[in-house]
């Protein structure tokens, strides 16, 4: 496993992992956003038989993180399943793997817009939102109270950075540096939304910092104040 | 395509026999006579062969009366009134909607003048619903359509009824269809037609090209050329070509040829109607602007390309036919078919890219077979002077180029099999027998067919979780049925083999539609930006859901929309001729001074590529390192070599970022300086991990994207369609990665590989070249780009390499920004100032 980048928020040191996860060493808590498990079978139900291996791949990636961090708790920031029926559609083998992980680690499932309800049979606890000290864990960034620090998912942020002679686009973390952090999507079939899109940019009116996912490390860049792209923003 | 040993011998006939004009019924003979015409020998031969039950491939140059040849048997047959309520008698398929519509119009005259009881109608994507219904109830005698619309008709349950009386299937412009995926789709449709209407005969019409037996096999009903007669009308004298150079400066690079605008305008003034052919739509827009800027006499000069709104194009075509225009600046949109009135002159701006294509374009002028056509070639840069000269030599030598048809795409087969199921239940054995009578699939093995069928059925995944979503089910006798009608609707929405980038329509306010541009182009515009389209200067106002609002005018430097796939590859025959010219300074005398100077400058700054060595130049440019190798092996070999070289450079830590392969050279750019060419080009380049390296390439990913759409794995993106967040869309790159990891033997990955191989050459040939140049690699370390390398560096169609190089560049950019902002630890500092001056976001 690779070099995670430290980020200090709310007097807590968080480790941003190049896989797109966040680890809280002091709480032994691993946070993942937007797993979108069973997105493949959701498409299949609509007549698009795209490969069913997405859940397996996402679980593979989760296993690697578990082995590396051995967290006490895993917290999934919503849209863990692509749709309401996703948890039931999980293949028996994948269900067993999830159950095995849950025997090692406690799962906290925060609900998202894709999975507004989850079956009670799912190992772990289900919450609309989760709080721990100053930290709020929710699916979609909201209005934080005073002194609150928020971790969320939902937007699948990605960014394009100019490099010599070209531009590189990658999923990324985006943070204002003191009270808001949005995680990239962790699921195998998840796309992204550019951080310059008003939906994301308006959440960071004073600019901030992005961390692009790389091979075994992150690349960080400052971003300026929100500037809506003309022609797209109304 | 089958090997020639397996193919039935094709009957060949040259059309020199005296015409058996007795075949022609009196009504027809009188009609010809009234016009002062005589039926041409090959027209009568087609009639006689058709009546004797032969399938026919007629190869004739432009202007040979091909179309009438195709229809004459049908008109003669249909002169006798048929019983009320008969089905379609003649089906005509053309690659262009416009061609189908135009032919319908042209046929109307003889039909009316001879008072024939024939109803002619077109059926395309534009045909309104009420007419479609009427065509079903009372079918026309002659139906003109496209491969896609035919597939749609055949997917309906009543197709056998519609075509029960079919006698003739005319396939126009076969040369433009055989060997591409649209042609695969059509071949499968024809095989279907032969099952539901075995009595129908086929007539293929083609321009002169190489690979005639393969084309005959394509048209034939057994896929091997059986039962088919190949009729050839000999070509007239080769056209007379001259090369025109712009006054003064001859550009080093660029493909636009704008410097020649004044000279082109002069030529336009001297002729009646001129077609100015260019190679890309962007070039058409720019040339149009430049000519109009100096068109003081305001000669009527129009523009015609594939992204313009259909109504606009029709207007230009009508104006041409009516003799109201003096010139049209056109792309390949005017390459095919239709007779555009009396064209006096053809000017080709930019390298012609292929001899056969050039001859066809030139054939647009003096549309009479017995006259020599004249055309002018206008090279856009110094390199293209060599290319134009090579093309001139090729035309004079009557060289025929182009690639042989490749085997049919498995993705197209998947689409067809689903269409088959939409039409009604079928047994796999019968379907296999049917599709192997289409020449592109003549050699497919049963296991591959079954894998494709398995994909259509339930995705064909080793992980069996999709049973309940399967599209087809098998009954106890093994017959395949469609699971529900929704799947048929989905099939019909996604039919076709042309996968285009999503397009956005351009409109004035809420009014007239001008045409469409690719979505990515619009998303990079800001309000107030100006760009050129349809020959006008437009200002971008805003992007609505499905269209972009524009107004006239605007200031600043206008952008020009470019389009994916706009690039035409040069044929390998021409590449070899260019090398020969370069190696023979005696031939340089014929070239204008700037070209001679350019070649001499190359000798001075670097060296010219020799006959037996391999010249490799390296130089820094715009913060990157470039390596240019002058192999002259053709684009396919260079693509393969690009894969091999970048893999090796990745291993050596040079950080390759991308490459571009042309027919002459391969150019690679990297983050670090490439050294030690002997190691880089050593023979032992082939290794077992090459496949996984290539699988990562942007070329394979792009190919997979097309395969995924055509095979029906994902939905086609409708132009400007709204994308809601709830819609299940998955990036094909992600699907590709998942599939490679978990089911590397999946049929769609195989389909992708086989498609991609069409753009690559077998490794053996590349190995041969490496062995040949061993010890003869001539490495020139330069401090800047060499004269000869300029054109390739500016070329498009680049392949990205996703390796360590990109990571290195990101790290570098990160360090640079950190330094510039004086930050040490990212978690401590907030960027308050806008960093737009550094170009971030």
């Amino acid at each position: 496993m690779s070099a995670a980048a430290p980020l200090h928020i709310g007097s807590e040191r968080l480790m941003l992992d190049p896989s797109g996860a966040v680890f809280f060493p002091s709480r032994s808590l691993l946070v993942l956003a937007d797993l979108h498990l069973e997105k493949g079978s959701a498409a299949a139900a609509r007549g698009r038989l795209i490969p069913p291996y997405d859940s397996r791949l996402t679980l593979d990636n989760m296993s690697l993180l578990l082995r590396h961090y051995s967290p006490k708790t895993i917290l999934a920031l919503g849209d863990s399943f692509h749709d309401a029926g996703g948890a039931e559609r999980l293949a028996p083998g994948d269900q067993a793997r999830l159950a095995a992980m849950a025997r090692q680690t406690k799962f906290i499932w925060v609900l998202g817009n894709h999975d507004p309800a989850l079956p009670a049979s799912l190992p772990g606890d289900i919450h609309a939102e989760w709080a721990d000290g100053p930290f709020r864990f929710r699916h979609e960034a909201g209005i934080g109270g005073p002194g609150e620090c928020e971790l969320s998912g939902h937007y699948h942020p990605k960014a394009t950075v100019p490099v010599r002679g070209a531009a590189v686009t990658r999923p990324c973390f985006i943070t204002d540096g003191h009270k808001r952090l949005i995680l990239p999507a962790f699921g195998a079939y998840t796309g992204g939304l550019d951080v310059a899109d008003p939906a994301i940019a308006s959440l960071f009116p004073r600019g901030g910092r992005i961390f692009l996912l790389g091979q075994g490390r992150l690349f960080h860049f400052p971003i300026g104040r929100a500037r809506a792209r003309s022609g797209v923003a109304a | 395509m089958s090997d020639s040993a397996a193919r039935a011998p094709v009957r060949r006939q040259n059309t020199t026999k005296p015409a058996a004009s007795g075949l022609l019924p009196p009504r027809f003979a009188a009609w010809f006579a009234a016009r002062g015409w005589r039926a041409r020998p090959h027209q009568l031969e087609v009639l006689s062969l058709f009546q004797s039950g032969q399938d026919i491939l007629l190869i004739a140059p432009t202007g040979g009366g091909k179309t009438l040849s195709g229809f004459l048997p049908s008109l003669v047959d249909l002169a006798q009134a048929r019983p009320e309520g008969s089905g379609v008698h003649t089906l005509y398929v053309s690659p262009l909607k416009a061609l189908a519509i135009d032919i319908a119009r042209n046929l109307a005259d003889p039909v009316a003048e001879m008072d024939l009881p024939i109803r002619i109608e077109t059926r395309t994507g534009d045909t309104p619903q009420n007419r479609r219904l009427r065509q079903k109830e009372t079918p026309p005698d002659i139906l003109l359509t496209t491969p896609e619309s035919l597939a749609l008709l055949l997917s309906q349950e009543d197709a056998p009824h519609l075509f029960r009386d079919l006698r003739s299937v005319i396939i126009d412009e076969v040369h433009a269809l055989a060997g591409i995926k649209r042609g695969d789709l059509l071949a499968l449709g024809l095989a279907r037609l032969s099952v539901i209407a075995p009595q129908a005969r086929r007539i293929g019409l083609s321009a002169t090209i190489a690979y005639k037996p393969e084309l005959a096999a394509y048209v034939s009903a057994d896929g091997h050329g059986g039962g088919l007669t190949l009729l050839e009308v000999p070509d007239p004298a080769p056209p007379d070509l001259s090369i025109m150079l712009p006054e003064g400066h001859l550009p080093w690079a660029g493909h636009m040829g704008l410097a020649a605008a004044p000279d082109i305008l002069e030529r336009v003034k001297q002729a009646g109607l001129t077609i100015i052919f260019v190679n890309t739509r962007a070039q058409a827009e720019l040339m149009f602007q430049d000519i109009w800027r100096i068109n003081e006499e305001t000669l009527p000069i129009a523009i015609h390309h594939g992204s313009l709104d259909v109504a606009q194009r029709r207007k230009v075509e009508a104006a041409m036919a009516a003799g109201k225009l003096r010139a049209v600046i056109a792309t390949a949109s005017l390459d095919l078919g239709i007779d555009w009135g009396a064209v006096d002159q053809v000017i080709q701006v930019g390298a012609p890219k292929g001899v056969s294509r050039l001859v066809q374009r030139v054939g647009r002028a003096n549309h009479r077979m017995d006259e020599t056509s004249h055309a002018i070639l206008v090279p856009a840069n110094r390199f293209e002077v060599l290319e134009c000269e090579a093309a001139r030599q090729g035309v004079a030598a009557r060289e025929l180029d182009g690639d042989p048809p490749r085997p049919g795409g498995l993705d197209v087969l998947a689409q067809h099999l689903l269409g088959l199921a939409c039409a009604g239940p079928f047994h796999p054995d019968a379907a296999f027998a049917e599709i192997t009578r289409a020449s592109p699939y003549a050699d497919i093995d049963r296991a591959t067919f079954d894998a494709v069928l398995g994909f259509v059925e339930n995705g064909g995944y080793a992980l069996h979780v999709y049973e309940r979503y399967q599209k087809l089910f098998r009954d106890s006798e093994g017959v395949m049925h469609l699971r529900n009608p929704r799947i048929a609707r989905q099939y019909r929405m996604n039919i076709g083999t042309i996968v285009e980038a999503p397009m956005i329509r351009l409109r004035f306010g809420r009014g007239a539609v001008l045409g469409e541009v690719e979505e990515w182009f619009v998303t990079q515009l800001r309000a107030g930006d100006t760009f050129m389209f349809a020959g006008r200067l437009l200002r971008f106002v805003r992007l609505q859901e499905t269209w972009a609002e524009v107004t006239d005018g605007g200031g600043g430097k206008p952008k020009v929309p470019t389009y994916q796939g706009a690039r035409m590859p040069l044929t390998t025959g021409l590449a070899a001729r260019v090398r020969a010219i370069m190696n023979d300074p005696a031939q340089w005398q014929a070239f204008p001074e700037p070209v001679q100077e350019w070649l001499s400058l190359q000798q001075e700054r670097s060296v010219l590529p020799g006959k037996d060595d391999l010249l490799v130049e390296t130089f820094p440019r715009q913060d990157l390192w470039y390596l240019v190798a002058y192999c002259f092996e053709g684009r396919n070999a260079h693509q393969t070599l690009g894969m091999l070289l970048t893999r090796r450079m990745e291993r050596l830590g040079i950080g390759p970022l991308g490459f571009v392969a042309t027919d002459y050279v391969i150019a690679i750019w990297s983050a670090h300086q490439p050294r030690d060419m002997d190691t880089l080009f050593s023979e032992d380049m082939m290794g077992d991990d090459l496949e996984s390296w290539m699988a990562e390439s942007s070329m394979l990913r792009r190919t997979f994207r097309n395969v995924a759409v055509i095979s029906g794995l994902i939905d086609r993106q409708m132009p400007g369609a709204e994308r809601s967040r709830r819609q299940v869309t998955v990036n094909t790159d992600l699907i590709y990665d998942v599939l490679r990891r978990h089911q590397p033997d999946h049929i769609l990955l195989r389909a992708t590989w086989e498609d991609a191989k069409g753009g690559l050459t077998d490794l053996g040939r590349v190995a041969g070249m490496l062995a040949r140049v061993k010890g003869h690699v001539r490495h020139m370390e330069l401090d800047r780009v060499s004269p000869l390398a300029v054109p390739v560096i500016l070329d498009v169609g680049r392949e990205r390499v996703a390796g360590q190089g990109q990571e290195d560049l990101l790290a570098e950019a990160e360090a640079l920004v950190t330094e510039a902002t004086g930050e040490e630890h990212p978690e401590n500092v907030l960027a308050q100032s806008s960093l737009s001056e550094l170009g971030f976001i």
Side-chain angles (χ1 to χ4, degrees):
Chain A
M1 188 71 42
S2 42
L7 179 75
H8 291 268
I9 284 189
S11 70
E12 182 83 26
R13 189 169 59 103
L14 318 185
M15 302 302 292
L16 308 189
D17 190 273
S19 66
V22 173
F23 185 61
F24 281 60
S26 68
R27 290 166 164 80
S28 189
L29 169 72
L30 186 70
V31 186
L32 303 168
D34 297 282
L35 303 175
H36 284 268
L37 292 165
E38 292 304 302
K39 184 165 177 176
S41 59
R46 288 159 168 255
R48 288 287 155 244
L49 302 173
I50 64 175
Y53 308 106
D54 55 321
S55 297
R56 189 188 280 189
L57 191 57
T58 303
L59 291 169
D60 286 349
N61 294 337
M62 284 168 69
S63 300
L64 290 176
L65 284 171
L66 288 190
R67 216 173 302 152
H68 183 68
Y69 291 108
S70 305
K72 278 205 195 99
T73 312
I74 285 192
L75 195 155
L77 284 175
D79 288 2
S80 307
F81 291 88
H82 188 73
D83 57 1
E88 275 93 13
R89 289 200 310 271
L90 211 55
D94 294 335
Q95 264 174 24
R97 284 179 74 189
L98 199 58
M101 286 184 205
R103 282 193 290 276
Q104 284 175 24
T105 308
K106 182 187 171 190
F107 270 87
I108 298 174
W109 306 94
V110 167
L111 297 173
N113 53 312
H114 279 264
D115 51 359
L118 286 169
S121 57
L122 198 66
D125 299 342
I126 298 164
H127 297 277
E129 208 178 289
W130 182 252
D132 184 345
F135 288 96
R136 297 291 176 274
F137 300 88
R138 49 175 73 105
H139 178 59
E140 187 174 347
I143 305 155
E148 271 182 25
C149 299
E150 176 193 76
L151 273 77
S152 62
H154 182 65
Y155 289 106
H156 304 200
K158 67 172 183 183
T160 300
V161 171
V163 297
R164 275 197 273 156
V168 178
T169 301
R170 298 272 174 92
C172 66
F173 294 94
I174 175 167
T175 177
D176 61 4
H178 60 282
K179 62 183 179 70
R180 174 165 283 166
L181 173 66
I182 300 181
L183 279 69
F186 191 82
Y189 277 165
T190 49
L193 181 68
D194 197 287
V195 295
D197 188 282
I200 298 180
S202 62
L203 294 167
F204 298 89
R206 298 168 67 83
R209 182 161 285 282
I210 52 175
F211 295 81
L212 269 66
L213 307 191
Q215 293 172 14
R217 61 160 294 192
L218 295 163
F219 300 98
H220 66 88
F221 298 92
I223 55 168
R225 290 160 192 277
R227 267 201 297 133
R229 280 188 303 180
S230 54
V232 178
Chain B
M1 188 68 49
S2 64
D3 59 342
S4 45
R7 195 179 299 124
V10 173
R11 285 183 50 199
R12 274 167 182 275
Q13 218 163 293
N14 275 330
T15 54
T16 44
K17 292 190 301 189
S21 52
L23 276 169
L24 222 47
R27 196 169 359 173
F28 288 77
W31 181 77
F32 272 102
R35 270 169 181 60
W37 294 351
R38 275 178 45 206
R40 294 190 175 162
H42 61 266
Q43 293 173 333
L44 297 173
E45 274 169 61
V46 170
L47 180 58
S48 134
L49 285 166
F50 180 85
Q51 289 174 346
S52 69
Q54 281 281 301
D55 291 328
I56 301 150
L57 170 60
L58 173 65
I59 297 181
T62 351
K66 266 202 298 270
T67 313
L68 188 55
S69 310
F71 280 101
L72 196 56
S74 297
L75 297 182
V76 168
D77 209 19
L78 285 165
Q80 314 295 325
R82 295 193 301 156
E84 197 72 12
S86 297
V88 172
H89 175 283
T90 295
L91 180 74
Y92 164 91
V93 189
S94 126
L96 292 179
K97 260 190 270 187
L99 195 53
I101 292 162
D102 205 69
I103 299 277
R105 208 182 296 137
N106 290 350
L107 277 178
D109 287 343
V111 166
E113 285 156 9
M114 284 186 272
D115 194 24
L116 300 173
I118 300 176
R119 208 169 95 234
I120 302 167
E121 288 186 14
T122 57
R123 172 69 169 249
T124 70
D126 302 335
T127 306
Q129 189 59 30
N130 58 354
R131 195 181 321 156
R132 290 178 187 221
L133 284 175
R134 201 189 64 211
Q135 284 174 352
K136 209 179 255 197
E137 281 157 21
T138 49
D141 301 294
I142 298 178
L143 183 66
L144 303 102
T145 189
T146 60
E148 291 75 17
S149 288
L150 175 60
L152 212 51
L153 283 171
L154 289 172
S155 77
Q156 282 158 8
E157 287 174 27
D158 57 4
H161 183 70
L162 183 66
F163 293 118
R164 68 193 181 278
D165 297 316
L166 194 69
R167 288 290 179 279
S168 175
V169 181
I170 302 167
I171 311 139
D172 207 354
E173 311 276 9
V174 183
H175 63 280
L177 285 168
I180 62 171
K181 287 191 178 181
R182 289 187 81 200
D184 295 344
L185 185 69
L186 176 59
L188 292 165
L190 294 173
R192 179 93 276 255
L193 271 180
S194 286
V195 169
I196 59 185
Q199 73 283 357
R201 296 275 67 87
R202 300 180 186 175
I203 304 176
L205 308 173
S206 170
T208 311
I209 54 146
Y211 306 106
K212 287 164 193 161
E214 286 82 354
L215 211 60
Y218 179 88
V219 174
S220 70
D222 66 357
H224 294 282
L228 179 137
T229 301
L230 173 63
L231 271 182
E232 259 191 281
V233 179
D235 266 3
D240 176 42
L241 300 174
S242 55
I243 297 177
M244 182 172 86
L245 295 163
E247 297 273 341
H249 179 67
L250 182 59
W252 281 78
H255 299 289
M256 296 303 179
L258 300 177
D263 303 289
I264 291 172
L265 185 59
E266 277 311 307
R267 296 292 186 141
V268 168
K269 285 179 192 167
Q270 290 159 21
L273 173 61
T274 303
I275 300 184
I276 303 162
F277 277 115
V278 295
N279 289 336
T280 64
R281 285 169 266 191
Q283 195 185 358
E285 295 282 351
L286 288 168
M287 181 58 79
F288 183 81
Q289 287 287 330
D290 275 32
I291 286 194
W292 267 97
R293 198 168 295 140
I294 52 174
N295 183 12
E296 282 160 11
E297 297 170 36
T298 60
L299 298 177
I301 296 174
I303 180 169
H304 192 284
H305 64 67
S307 289
L308 296 177
D309 189 57
V310 181
Q312 301 250 351
R313 275 184 271 160
R314 289 301 93 80
K315 240 193 263 176
V316 171
E317 289 157 14
M320 269 177 92
K324 290 180 188 157
L325 292 179
R326 293 293 297 279
V328 180
I329 297 164
T331 62
S333 60
L334 281 191
D335 267 2
L336 288 184
I338 313 161
D339 252 327
W340 299 116
V343 177
D344 300 290
Q345 174 171 259
V346 167
I347 299 179
Q348 161 73 36
V349 184
K353 302 293 173 195
V355 170
S356 296
R357 169 186 207 96
L358 178 61
V359 169
Q360 282 156 32
R361 282 189 162 183
V362 171
R364 291 273 153 244
N366 295 330
H367 225 164
R368 289 174 292 274
M369 281 172 54
D370 39 2
E371 286 175 24
T372 306
S373 332
H374 300 271
I376 302 165
L377 305 180
V378 184
N381 63 47
R382 295 169 197 223
F383 212 126
E384 285 188 356
V385 175
L386 306 190
E387 262 184 57
C388 286
E389 175 59 25
R392 217 170 62 88
Q393 292 176 7
V395 168
R398 289 177 178 257
E399 186 174 287
L400 290 172
D401 51 22
D403 296 318
R406 43 152 209 47
L410 299 180
D411 49 354
V412 182
L413 180 58
Q415 187 182 104
H416 176 76
L417 290 175
L418 186 56
L420 208 54
C422 294
F426 66 86
H427 196 284
D429 293 349
F432 181 68
E434 179 181 318
I435 65 113
T436 48
R437 285 194 289 269
S439 73
Y441 300 93
D443 291 338
I444 195 174
D445 60 77
R446 182 61 192 256
T448 305
F449 171 82
D450 286 336
V452 174
L453 186 57
F455 163 76
V456 178
E457 198 177 355
N458 57 25
Y461 301 110
L463 182 65
H464 294 293
V465 294
Y466 280 0
E467 270 79 10
R468 63 172 135 163
Y469 309 122
Q470 64 186 6
K471 292 183 178 176
L472 310 180
F473 68 88
R474 292 173 202 243
D475 67 18
S476 56
E477 326 231 286
V479 174
M480 316 278 299
H481 300 257
L482 200 65
R483 194 170 59 90
N484 70 44
R486 194 196 62 187
I487 293 162
R489 282 199 300 278
Q490 206 166 20
Y491 162 79
R492 289 180 186 126
M493 292 289 287
N494 287 285
I495 213 162
T497 60
I498 301 172
V499 182
E500 282 191 330
M503 304 291 269
I504 295 281
R505 279 174 300 150
L506 301 175
R507 315 171 63 162
F508 284 122
R510 293 187 166 271
V513 175
L514 283 170
E516 51 188 27
V517 295
E518 288 181 5
E519 189 179 28
W520 70 265
F521 177 76
V522 177
T523 54
Q524 52 143 26
L525 293 176
R526 288 164 190 274
D529 279 358
T530 57
F531 63 101
M532 286 181 201
F533 187 82
R536 324 162 76 133
L537 206 55
L538 300 174
R539 187 167 61 208
F540 175 65
V541 179
R542 60 187 163 151
L543 179 63
Q544 301 285 18
E545 301 272 289
T546 58
W547 48 278
E549 188 182 329
V550 297
T551 58
D552 262 317
K557 193 177 186 307
K559 299 175 191 313
V560 183
T562 54
Y563 301 82
Q564 286 176 13
R567 178 178 181 227
M568 277 183 279
L570 188 95
T571 59
T572 34
L574 278 189
R577 283 187 188 275
V578 169
R579 179 178 202 159
I581 292 171
M582 202 175 281
N583 280 326
D584 181 11
Q587 287 200 49
W588 300 4
Q589 307 300 325
F591 295 137
E593 203 157 318
V595 176
Q596 294 192 34
E597 183 191 282
W598 170 59
L599 293 171
S600 315
L601 205 60
Q602 171 69 18
Q603 277 177 317
E604 200 177 296
R605 295 256 183 90
S606 177
V607 291
L608 278 168
K611 268 203 169 74
D612 308 310
D613 62 9
L614 172 63
L615 171 62
V616 181
E617 295 174 337
T618 55
F619 51 86
R621 182 174 177 272
Q622 285 182 353
D623 300 331
L624 297 177
W625 282 92
Y626 282 78
L627 178 154
V628 180
Y630 298 83
C631 307
F632 291 91
E633 289 286 333
R635 198 158 82 91
N636 290 355
H638 294 162
Q639 284 277 2
T640 311
L641 190 62
M643 300 278 182
L644 290 164
L645 284 172
T646 50
R647 180 183 66 124
R648 174 159 294 183
M649 288 167 77
E650 176 83 11
R651 281 208 185 140
L652 294 173
I654 300 169
L657 294 162
F659 67 89
V660 52
T662 75
D663 287 283
Y664 315 113
V665 304
I666 166 98
I668 304 174
W669 49 100
S670 53
H672 310 295
Q673 183 176 7
R675 300 172 198 275
D676 192 6
M677 292 306 131
D678 285 327
T679 306
L680 210 51
F681 284 85
S682 71
E683 264 179 278
D684 57 348
M685 209 183 260
M686 324 291 166
D688 49 10
D689 65 340
L690 177 67
E691 229 172 73
S692 64
W693 176 249
M694 285 170 65
E696 287 293 339
S697 70
S698 53
M699 178 175 134
L700 265 284
R701 288 170 182 278
R702 203 165 52 234
T703 307
F704 180 76
R705 193 147 55 231
N706 290 347
V707 166
V709 171
I710 294 170
S711 66
L713 181 69
I714 60 165
D715 278 317
R716 191 175 274 281
Q717 281 204 349
M718 292 304 159
E722 191 184 350
R723 250 156 282 157
S724 81
R725 285 185 72 85
R726 298 206 54 87
Q727 195 184 340
V728 187
T729 54
V730 181
N731 183 324
T732 54
D733 277 0
L734 299 172
I735 299 177
Y736 178 72
D737 288 337
V738 166
L739 206 48
R740 268 183 56 220
R741 183 135 147 202
H742 287 285
Q743 198 174 338
D745 62 348
H746 191 266
I747 190 70
L748 288 194
L749 291 182
R750 221 180 103 193
T752 303
W753 270 106
E754 286 176 9
D755 262 20
K757 268 192 242 151
L760 299 166
T761 302
D762 65 307
L763 296 172
R765 174 151 173 219
V766 174
M769 184 204 81
L770 293 173
R772 207 166 59 239
V773 303
K774 192 176 171 188
H776 303 284
V777 177
R778 189 153 183 205
H779 182 196
M780 300 300 290
E781 285 189 66
L782 310 175
D783 58 357
R784 61 183 141 156
V785 60
S786 76
L788 210 51
V790 169
V792 65
I793 296 303
L794 296 172
D795 211 329
V796 287
R798 302 172 157 214
E799 297 294 336
R800 187 174 43 79
V801 173
Q804 191 58 40
Q806 212 179 53
E807 298 287 308
D808 290 355
L809 289 186
L810 269 176
E812 194 181 277
E814 180 191 60
L816 196 69
V817 173
T818 305
E819 193 183 313
T821 53
E823 294 174 27
E824 290 301 323
H825 305 290
E827 65 271 33
N828 294 337
V829 190
L830 251 182
Q832 293 292 350
S833 64
S834 165
L835 280 162
S836 59
E837 63 272 24
L838 275 173
F840 289 97
I841 305 198

